[in-house]
Amino acid sequence: MLEARGIDASDGRLAAEVKGEVGKEEGVLVVRRIHVKYQLRAAAADEEAINRAFDLHPMRCPVYRTLHKCIDITTELAIL
């Protein structure tokens, strides 16, 4: 979605740090929550387009669409 808006996310410009919270149900480990922190190196002038892409991306992400109904998934974005 970033590339479609003319924002270069290649060559390490876009990184993600993912943390999960695990619990137990009947002695079995289960994933309770996932938090994804994106870090994007981009020009400040592109911030509006970047934020639009960030807001739209979850429902266009196959992993999010698969998991969001059973696991709490949150995201945040830092533009560097």
Side-chain angles (χ1 to χ4, degrees):
M1 293 185 72
L2 292 169
E3 300 283 341
R5 288 170 170 72
I7 298 161
D8 187 3
S10 65
D11 297 324
R13 288 180 184 86
L14 177 63
E17 178 182 313
V18 181
K19 293 184 179 180
E21 182 180 314
V22 177
K24 278 191 178 181
E25 281 184 11
E26 299 174 6
V28 178
L29 293 176
V30 293
V31 177
R32 300 272 188 222
R33 284 181 263 296
I34 298 171
H35 181 73
V36 182
K37 180 178 181 179
Y38 296 100
Q39 296 176 334
L40 177 65
R41 286 187 291 122
D46 296 331
E47 190 168 344
E48 185 176 325
I50 292 167
N51 284 323
R52 261 195 323 272
F54 176 73
D55 290 341
L56 293 172
H57 94 276
M59 292 311 286
R60 290 177 171 77
C61 172
V63 174
Y64 180 88
R65 292 284 297 259
T66 301
L67 300 175
H68 81 280
K69 291 182 181 177
C70 53
I71 299 173
D72 180 28
I73 303 173
T74 56
T75 60
E76 68 180 285
L77 171 65
I79 302 171
L80 310 174

Coordinates of all heavy atoms in Angstrom, one line a residue:
M1 N 0.8 -1.2 0.0 CA 0.0 0.0 0.0 C 0.9 1.3 0.0 O 0.5 2.3 -0.5 CB -0.9 0.0 1.2 CG -2.0 -1.1 1.1 SD -3.2 -1.1 2.4 CE -4.1 0.4 2.0
L2 N 2.0 1.2 0.7 CA 2.9 2.3 0.6 C 3.5 2.6 -0.7 O 3.5 3.7 -1.2 CB 4.1 2.1 1.6 CG 3.7 2.1 3.1 CD1 4.8 1.7 4.0 CD2 3.2 3.5 3.5
E3 N 3.9 1.5 -1.4 CA 4.5 1.7 -2.7 C 3.5 2.2 -3.7 O 3.8 3.1 -4.6 CB 5.0 0.3 -3.2 CG 6.1 -0.3 -2.3 CD 7.5 0.3 -2.5 OE1 7.7 1.0 -3.5 OE2 8.3 0.1 -1.6
A4 N 2.2 1.8 -3.6 CA 1.2 2.3 -4.5 C 1.0 3.8 -4.3 O 0.5 4.5 -5.2 CB -0.1 1.6 -4.2
R5 N 1.3 4.4 -3.1 CA 1.2 5.8 -2.9 C 2.6 6.5 -3.1 O 2.7 7.7 -2.7 CB 0.8 6.0 -1.4 CG -0.7 5.6 -1.3 CD -1.1 5.6 0.2 NE -2.5 5.5 0.4 CZ -3.2 4.4 0.1 NH1 -2.6 3.3 -0.3 NH2 -4.5 4.4 0.3
G6 N 3.5 5.8 -3.7 CA 4.8 6.5 -4.1 C 5.7 6.6 -2.9 O 6.7 7.4 -2.9
I7 N 5.5 5.8 -1.9 CA 6.4 5.8 -0.7 C 7.3 4.6 -0.7 O 6.8 3.4 -0.7 CB 5.6 5.9 0.6 CG1 4.7 7.2 0.6 CG2 6.4 5.8 1.8 CD1 3.6 7.2 1.5
D8 N 8.6 4.8 -0.7 CA 9.5 3.7 -0.8 C 9.7 3.0 0.5 O 10.1 3.6 1.5 CB 10.9 4.2 -1.3 CG 11.9 3.1 -1.6 OD1 11.5 2.0 -1.5 OD2 13.0 3.5 -1.9
A9 N 9.3 1.7 0.6 CA 9.4 1.0 1.8 C 10.5 -0.1 1.7 O 10.6 -1.0 2.5 CB 8.1 0.4 2.2
S10 N 11.3 -0.1 0.6 CA 12.3 -1.1 0.4 C 13.6 -0.8 1.1 O 13.8 0.2 1.8 CB 12.6 -1.2 -1.1 OG 13.2 0.0 -1.6
D11 N 14.5 -1.8 1.0 CA 15.9 -1.6 1.5 C 15.9 -1.3 3.0 O 16.7 -0.4 3.4 CB 16.7 -0.6 0.7 CG 16.8 -1.0 -0.7 OD1 17.0 -2.3 -1.0 OD2 16.8 -0.2 -1.6
G12 N 15.1 -1.9 3.8 CA 15.1 -1.7 5.2 C 14.4 -0.4 5.7 O 14.5 -0.1 6.9
R13 N 13.8 0.3 4.9 CA 13.1 1.5 5.3 C 11.9 1.2 6.2 O 11.5 2.0 7.0 CB 12.6 2.3 4.1 CG 13.8 3.0 3.4 CD 13.2 3.8 2.2 NE 14.3 4.4 1.4 CZ 15.0 3.7 0.5 NH1 14.7 2.5 0.2 NH2 16.0 4.3 -0.1
L14 N 11.3 0.0 6.0 CA 10.1 -0.4 6.8 C 10.5 -1.6 7.7 O 11.0 -2.6 7.1 CB 8.9 -0.8 6.0 CG 7.7 -1.3 6.7 CD1 7.1 -0.2 7.6 CD2 6.6 -1.7 5.7
A15 N 10.4 -1.5 9.0 CA 10.7 -2.6 9.9 C 9.5 -2.7 10.8 O 8.7 -1.8 11.0 CB 12.0 -2.3 10.7
A16 N 9.4 -3.9 11.4 CA 8.3 -4.2 12.4 C 8.9 -4.9 13.5 O 9.7 -5.8 13.4 CB 7.2 -5.0 11.7
E17 N 8.4 -4.5 14.7 CA 8.8 -5.3 16.0 C 7.4 -5.8 16.4 O 6.5 -5.1 16.6 CB 9.3 -4.3 17.0 CG 9.6 -4.9 18.3 CD 10.2 -3.9 19.3 OE1 11.1 -3.1 18.9 OE2 9.7 -3.9 20.4
V18 N 7.4 -7.1 16.6 CA 6.2 -7.8 17.0 C 6.3 -8.4 18.4 O 7.3 -9.1 18.6 CB 5.8 -8.9 16.0 CG1 4.5 -9.5 16.4 CG2 5.7 -8.3 14.6
K19 N 5.3 -8.2 19.3 CA 5.4 -8.8 20.6 C 4.0 -9.5 20.8 O 3.0 -9.0 20.4 CB 5.6 -7.7 21.7 CG 6.9 -7.1 21.6 CD 7.1 -6.1 22.7 CE 8.5 -5.5 22.7 NZ 8.8 -4.6 23.7
G20 N 4.1 -10.6 21.4 CA 2.9 -11.4 21.7 C 2.8 -11.6 23.2 O 3.7 -11.7 23.9
E21 N 1.5 -11.8 23.6 CA 1.3 -12.2 25.0 C 0.6 -13.6 25.0 O -0.3 -13.8 24.2 CB 0.3 -11.2 25.6 CG 0.0 -11.5 27.1 CD -0.9 -10.5 27.7 OE1 -0.7 -9.3 27.5 OE2 -1.9 -11.0 28.4
V22 N 1.2 -14.5 25.7 CA 0.8 -15.9 25.7 C 0.2 -16.2 27.1 O 0.7 -15.8 28.1 CB 2.0 -16.8 25.4 CG1 1.6 -18.3 25.5 CG2 2.6 -16.5 24.0
G23 N -0.9 -17.0 27.1 CA -1.5 -17.5 28.3 C -1.7 -19.0 28.2 O -1.3 -19.6 27.2
K24 N -2.4 -19.5 29.2 CA -2.6 -20.9 29.2 C -4.1 -21.2 29.3 O -4.8 -20.5 30.0 CB -2.0 -21.6 30.3 CG -0.5 -22.0 30.1 CD 0.0 -22.9 31.2 CE 1.4 -23.3 30.9 NZ 1.9 -24.2 32.0
E25 N -4.6 -22.2 28.5 CA -6.0 -22.6 28.6 C -5.9 -24.1 28.8 O -5.4 -24.8 27.9 CB -6.8 -22.3 27.4 CG -7.3 -20.9 27.3 CD -8.1 -20.6 26.1 OE1 -8.5 -21.6 25.4 OE2 -8.4 -19.5 25.8
E26 N -6.3 -24.6 29.9 CA -6.3 -26.1 30.2 C -4.9 -26.7 30.0 O -4.8 -27.7 29.4 CB -7.4 -26.8 29.4 CG -8.8 -26.3 29.7 CD -9.8 -26.9 28.7 OE1 -9.5 -27.7 27.9 OE2 -11.0 -26.4 28.8
G27 N -3.9 -25.9 30.4 CA -2.5 -26.4 30.3 C -1.9 -26.2 28.9 O -0.8 -26.6 28.7
V28 N -2.6 -25.6 28.0 CA -2.1 -25.4 26.6 C -1.8 -23.9 26.4 O -2.6 -23.1 26.7 CB -3.1 -25.9 25.6 CG1 -2.6 -25.7 24.2 CG2 -3.5 -27.4 25.8
L29 N -0.6 -23.6 25.9 CA -0.3 -22.2 25.6 C -1.1 -21.7 24.4 O -1.4 -22.4 23.4 CB 1.2 -22.1 25.2 CG 2.2 -22.5 26.3 CD1 3.6 -22.4 25.7 CD2 2.1 -21.5 27.4
V30 N -1.7 -20.5 24.6 CA -2.4 -19.8 23.6 C -2.0 -18.4 23.4 O -1.6 -17.8 24.4 CB -4.0 -19.9 23.9 CG1 -4.5 -21.3 23.8 CG2 -4.3 -19.3 25.2
V31 N -2.0 -17.8 22.2 CA -1.7 -16.5 22.0 C -2.9 -15.6 22.4 O -4.0 -15.8 21.8 CB -1.3 -16.2 20.5 CG1 -1.0 -14.8 20.3 CG2 -0.1 -17.1 20.2
R32 N -2.7 -14.6 23.3 CA -3.8 -13.8 23.7 C -3.8 -12.5 22.9 O -4.9 -12.0 22.5 CB -3.6 -13.4 25.2 CG -3.7 -14.6 26.1 CD -5.1 -14.9 26.5 NE -5.1 -15.9 27.5 CZ -5.9 -16.9 27.5 NH1 -6.8 -17.1 26.6 NH2 -5.8 -17.8 28.4
R33 N -2.7 -11.9 22.8 CA -2.6 -10.5 22.1 C -1.3 -10.5 21.3 O -0.3 -11.1 21.6 CB -2.5 -9.4 23.2 CG -3.8 -9.1 23.8 CD -3.7 -8.0 24.9 NE -3.6 -8.5 26.2 CZ -4.5 -9.2 26.9 NH1 -5.6 -9.6 26.3 NH2 -4.3 -9.5 28.2
I34 N -1.4 -9.6 20.2 CA -0.2 -9.4 19.4 C -0.2 -7.9 19.2 O -1.2 -7.2 18.9 CB -0.4 -10.1 18.0 CG1 -0.4 -11.6 18.2 CG2 0.8 -9.6 17.1 CD1 -0.7 -12.3 16.9
H35 N 1.0 -7.3 19.4 CA 1.2 -5.9 19.1 C 2.3 -5.7 18.1 O 3.4 -6.3 18.3 CB 1.5 -5.1 20.4 CG 1.7 -3.6 20.2 ND1 0.6 -2.8 19.9 CD2 2.8 -2.8 20.1 CE1 1.1 -1.6 19.7 NE2 2.4 -1.6 19.8
V36 N 2.0 -4.9 17.1 CA 3.0 -4.7 16.0 C 3.4 -3.2 16.0 O 2.5 -2.4 15.9 CB 2.5 -5.1 14.6 CG1 3.5 -4.9 13.5 CG2 2.0 -6.5 14.6
K37 N 4.7 -3.0 16.1 CA 5.2 -1.6 16.0 C 6.0 -1.4 14.7 O 7.0 -2.1 14.6 CB 6.0 -1.2 17.2 CG 6.5 0.2 17.1 CD 7.4 0.6 18.3 CE 7.8 2.0 18.2 NZ 8.6 2.4 19.4
Y38 N 5.4 -0.7 13.8 CA 6.1 -0.4 12.5 C 7.0 0.8 12.7 O 6.6 1.8 13.3 CB 5.1 -0.1 11.4 CG 4.2 -1.3 11.1 CD1 2.9 -1.4 11.6 CD2 4.6 -2.3 10.3 CE1 2.1 -2.4 11.3 CE2 3.8 -3.4 10.0 CZ 2.5 -3.4 10.5 OH 1.7 -4.5 10.2
Q39 N 8.1 0.7 12.0 CA 9.0 1.9 12.0 C 9.4 2.1 10.5 O 9.8 1.2 9.8 CB 10.3 1.6 12.8 CG 10.0 1.5 14.2 CD 11.3 1.1 15.0 OE1 12.2 0.6 14.5 NE2 11.2 1.4 16.3
L40 N 9.1 3.3 10.0 CA 9.2 3.6 8.6 C 10.1 4.9 8.5 O 9.8 5.9 9.1 CB 7.9 3.9 7.9 CG 7.9 4.3 6.5 CD1 8.5 3.2 5.6 CD2 6.5 4.8 6.0
R41 N 11.2 4.7 7.7 CA 12.1 5.9 7.4 C 11.5 6.5 6.1 O 11.5 5.9 5.1 CB 13.5 5.4 7.2 CG 14.2 5.1 8.5 CD 15.7 4.9 8.3 NE 15.9 3.6 7.6 CZ 16.6 3.5 6.5 NH1 17.1 4.5 5.9 NH2 16.7 2.3 5.9
A42 N 10.9 7.7 6.3 CA 10.3 8.4 5.1 C 10.3 9.9 5.3 O 10.5 10.4 6.5 CB 8.9 7.9 5.0
A43 N 10.1 10.6 4.3 CA 10.0 12.1 4.3 C 8.8 12.5 5.1 O 7.7 11.9 4.9 CB 10.0 12.6 2.9
A44 N 8.9 13.5 5.9 CA 7.8 14.0 6.7 C 6.7 14.5 5.7 O 5.5 14.5 6.1 CB 8.2 15.2 7.6
A45 N 7.0 14.9 4.5 CA 6.0 15.4 3.6 C 5.1 14.3 3.2 O 3.9 14.6 2.7 CB 6.7 16.0 2.3
D46 N 5.5 13.1 3.3 CA 4.6 11.9 2.9 C 3.7 11.5 4.1 O 3.0 10.5 3.9 CB 5.5 10.7 2.5 CG 6.3 11.0 1.3 OD1 5.8 11.9 0.4 OD2 7.4 10.5 1.1
E47 N 3.7 12.1 5.2 CA 3.1 11.6 6.4 C 1.6 11.4 6.2 O 1.0 10.4 6.7 CB 3.3 12.6 7.6 CG 2.8 12.0 8.9 CD 3.3 12.8 10.1 OE1 4.2 13.6 10.0 OE2 2.7 12.6 11.2
E48 N 0.9 12.3 5.5 CA -0.6 12.1 5.3 C -0.9 10.8 4.5 O -1.7 10.0 4.9 CB -1.2 13.3 4.6 CG -2.7 13.2 4.4 CD -3.3 14.4 3.8 OE1 -2.8 15.5 4.0 OE2 -4.3 14.3 3.1
A49 N -0.1 10.5 3.5 CA -0.3 9.3 2.7 C 0.1 8.1 3.5 O -0.6 7.0 3.4 CB 0.5 9.4 1.4
I50 N 1.1 8.2 4.3 CA 1.6 7.1 5.1 C 0.5 6.7 6.1 O 0.2 5.6 6.3 CB 2.9 7.4 5.8 CG1 4.0 7.5 4.8 CG2 3.2 6.4 6.9 CD1 5.3 8.2 5.3
N51 N 0.0 7.7 6.8 CA -1.1 7.5 7.8 C -2.3 6.9 7.1 O -3.0 6.0 7.7 CB -1.4 8.7 8.5 CG -0.3 9.0 9.6 OD1 0.2 8.2 10.2 ND2 0.0 10.3 9.7
R52 N -2.7 7.3 5.9 CA -3.8 6.7 5.2 C -3.6 5.2 4.9 O -4.5 4.4 5.2 CB -4.1 7.4 3.9 CG -5.2 8.5 4.0 CD -5.7 8.9 2.6 NE -4.7 9.1 1.6 CZ -4.0 10.1 1.3 NH1 -4.1 11.2 2.1 NH2 -3.1 10.2 0.4
A53 N -2.4 4.9 4.5 CA -2.1 3.5 4.2 C -2.1 2.7 5.5 O -2.6 1.6 5.5 CB -0.7 3.4 3.5
F54 N -1.5 3.3 6.6 CA -1.5 2.6 7.8 C -2.9 2.3 8.3 O -3.2 1.2 8.8 CB -0.7 3.4 8.9 CG -0.7 2.8 10.2 CD1 0.1 1.7 10.5 CD2 -1.4 3.4 11.3 CE1 0.1 1.2 11.8 CE2 -1.4 2.9 12.5 CZ -0.6 1.8 12.8
D55 N -3.8 3.3 8.2 CA -5.2 3.1 8.7 C -5.9 2.0 7.9 O -6.7 1.3 8.4 CB -5.9 4.4 8.6 CG -5.5 5.4 9.6 OD1 -4.8 5.0 10.6 OD2 -5.7 6.6 9.4
L56 N -5.6 1.9 6.6 CA -6.3 0.9 5.7 C -5.7 -0.5 5.7 O -6.3 -1.4 5.4 CB -6.3 1.5 4.3 CG -7.1 2.7 4.0 CD1 -6.8 3.2 2.6 CD2 -8.6 2.4 4.2
H57 N -4.4 -0.6 6.1 CA -3.7 -1.9 5.9 C -4.3 -3.1 6.7 O -4.3 -4.2 6.1 CB -2.2 -1.7 6.2 CG -1.8 -2.1 7.5 ND1 -1.9 -1.2 8.6 CD2 -1.3 -3.2 8.0 CE1 -1.4 -1.8 9.7 NE2 -1.1 -3.0 9.4
P58 N -4.8 -2.9 7.9 CA -5.2 -4.2 8.6 C -6.2 -5.0 7.8 O -6.0 -6.2 7.7 CB -5.8 -3.7 9.9 CG -5.1 -2.4 10.1 CD -5.0 -1.8 8.7
M59 N -7.2 -4.4 7.3 CA -8.2 -5.2 6.6 C -7.8 -5.7 5.2 O -8.5 -6.5 4.6 CB -9.6 -4.5 6.5 CG -10.2 -4.3 7.9 SD -10.3 -5.8 8.9 CE -11.6 -6.6 8.0
R60 N -6.6 -5.3 4.8 CA -6.1 -5.8 3.5 C -4.9 -6.7 3.7 O -4.3 -7.1 2.8 CB -5.7 -4.6 2.7 CG -6.9 -3.8 2.1 CD -6.5 -2.6 1.4 NE -7.6 -1.9 0.7 CZ -8.5 -1.2 1.3 NH1 -8.5 -1.0 2.6 NH2 -9.5 -0.7 0.6
C61 N -4.6 -7.0 5.0 CA -3.5 -7.9 5.4 C -4.1 -9.3 5.6 O -5.0 -9.5 6.5 CB -2.9 -7.4 6.6 SG -1.6 -8.5 7.3
P62 N -3.6 -10.3 4.9 CA -4.2 -11.7 5.1 C -4.0 -12.2 6.5 O -4.9 -12.9 7.0 CB -3.4 -12.5 4.1 CG -2.9 -11.5 3.1 CD -2.7 -10.3 3.8
V63 N -2.9 -11.9 7.1 CA -2.7 -12.4 8.5 C -3.6 -11.8 9.5 O -4.3 -12.4 10.3 CB -1.2 -12.2 8.9 CG1 -1.0 -12.6 10.4 CG2 -0.3 -13.0 8.0
Y64 N -3.8 -10.4 9.4 CA -4.7 -9.7 10.2 C -6.1 -10.3 10.0 O -6.9 -10.6 11.0 CB -4.7 -8.2 10.0 CG -5.6 -7.5 10.9 CD1 -5.3 -7.1 12.1 CD2 -6.9 -7.2 10.5 CE1 -6.1 -6.4 13.0 CE2 -7.8 -6.5 11.3 CZ -7.4 -6.1 12.5 OH -8.3 -5.5 13.3
R65 N -6.5 -10.4 8.8 CA -7.9 -10.8 8.5 C -8.2 -12.2 9.0 O -9.3 -12.6 9.4 CB -8.2 -10.8 7.0 CG -8.2 -9.4 6.3 CD -9.5 -8.7 6.6 NE -10.7 -9.3 6.1 CZ -11.3 -9.0 5.0 NH1 -10.8 -8.0 4.2 NH2 -12.4 -9.6 4.6
T66 N -7.1 -13.1 9.0 CA -7.3 -14.4 9.5 C -7.4 -14.5 11.0 O -8.2 -15.2 11.6 CB -6.1 -15.3 9.1 OG1 -6.0 -15.3 7.6 CG2 -6.2 -16.7 9.6
L67 N -6.7 -13.6 11.7 CA -6.5 -13.8 13.2 C -7.4 -12.8 14.0 O -7.6 -13.0 15.2 CB -5.1 -13.6 13.6 CG -4.1 -14.6 13.0 CD1 -2.7 -14.3 13.4 CD2 -4.5 -16.0 13.4
H68 N -7.7 -11.6 13.5 CA -8.3 -10.5 14.3 C -9.5 -10.9 15.1 O -9.8 -10.2 16.1 CB -8.4 -9.3 13.5 CG -9.7 -9.2 12.7 ND1 -9.8 -9.9 11.4 CD2 -10.9 -8.6 12.9 CE1 -11.0 -9.6 11.0 NE2 -11.7 -8.9 11.8
K69 N -10.3 -11.8 14.6 CA -11.5 -12.2 15.4 C -11.3 -13.0 16.6 O -12.1 -13.2 17.5 CB -12.5 -12.9 14.4 CG -13.1 -11.9 13.4 CD -14.1 -12.6 12.5 CE -14.6 -11.6 11.5 NZ -15.5 -12.2 10.5
C70 N -10.1 -13.7 16.7 CA -9.8 -14.5 17.8 C -8.6 -14.1 18.6 O -8.4 -14.6 19.8 CB -9.6 -16.0 17.3 SG -8.4 -16.2 16.1
I71 N -7.8 -13.1 18.2 CA -6.7 -12.6 18.9 C -6.7 -11.1 18.8 O -6.9 -10.5 17.8 CB -5.3 -13.1 18.3 CG1 -5.3 -14.6 18.4 CG2 -4.2 -12.5 19.1 CD1 -4.1 -15.2 17.7
D72 N -6.5 -10.4 20.0 CA -6.5 -9.0 20.0 C -5.2 -8.5 19.3 O -4.1 -8.8 19.8 CB -6.5 -8.5 21.4 CG -6.5 -7.0 21.5 OD1 -7.0 -6.3 20.6 OD2 -6.0 -6.5 22.6
I73 N -5.3 -7.8 18.2 CA -4.1 -7.3 17.5 C -4.1 -5.8 17.4 O -5.1 -5.2 17.0 CB -4.1 -7.9 16.0 CG1 -4.1 -9.4 16.0 CG2 -2.9 -7.3 15.3 CD1 -4.3 -10.0 14.6
T74 N -3.1 -5.2 17.9 CA -2.9 -3.7 17.9 C -1.7 -3.4 17.1 O -0.7 -4.2 17.0 CB -2.8 -3.2 19.3 OG1 -1.7 -3.8 20.0 CG2 -4.1 -3.4 20.1
T75 N -1.7 -2.2 16.6 CA -0.5 -1.7 15.8 C -0.2 -0.2 16.1 O -1.1 0.5 16.6 CB -0.8 -1.8 14.3 OG1 -1.9 -1.0 13.9 CG2 -1.0 -3.2 13.8
E76 N 1.0 0.1 15.9 CA 1.4 1.5 16.0 C 2.4 1.8 14.9 O 3.1 0.9 14.4 CB 1.9 1.9 17.4 CG 3.2 1.2 17.8 CD 3.7 1.6 19.2 OE1 4.2 2.8 19.3 OE2 3.6 0.8 20.1
L77 N 2.6 3.1 14.6 CA 3.5 3.5 13.5 C 4.4 4.6 14.0 O 3.9 5.6 14.6 CB 2.7 3.9 12.3 CG 3.5 4.5 11.2 CD1 4.5 3.5 10.6 CD2 2.6 5.1 10.1
A78 N 5.7 4.5 13.8 CA 6.6 5.5 14.1 C 7.3 5.9 12.7 O 7.8 5.1 12.0 CB 7.7 5.1 15.0
I79 N 7.1 7.2 12.3 CA 7.8 7.7 11.1 C 9.0 8.3 11.5 O 9.0 9.3 12.3 CB 6.8 8.6 10.3 CG1 5.5 7.9 10.0 CG2 7.5 9.1 9.1 CD1 4.4 8.8 9.4
L80 N 10.1 7.8 11.0 CA 11.5 8.3 11.4 C 12.0 9.3 10.4 O 11.7 9.2 9.2 CB 12.4 7.1 11.6 CG 11.9 6.0 12.5 CD1 12.9 4.9 12.5 CD2 11.7 6.5 13.9

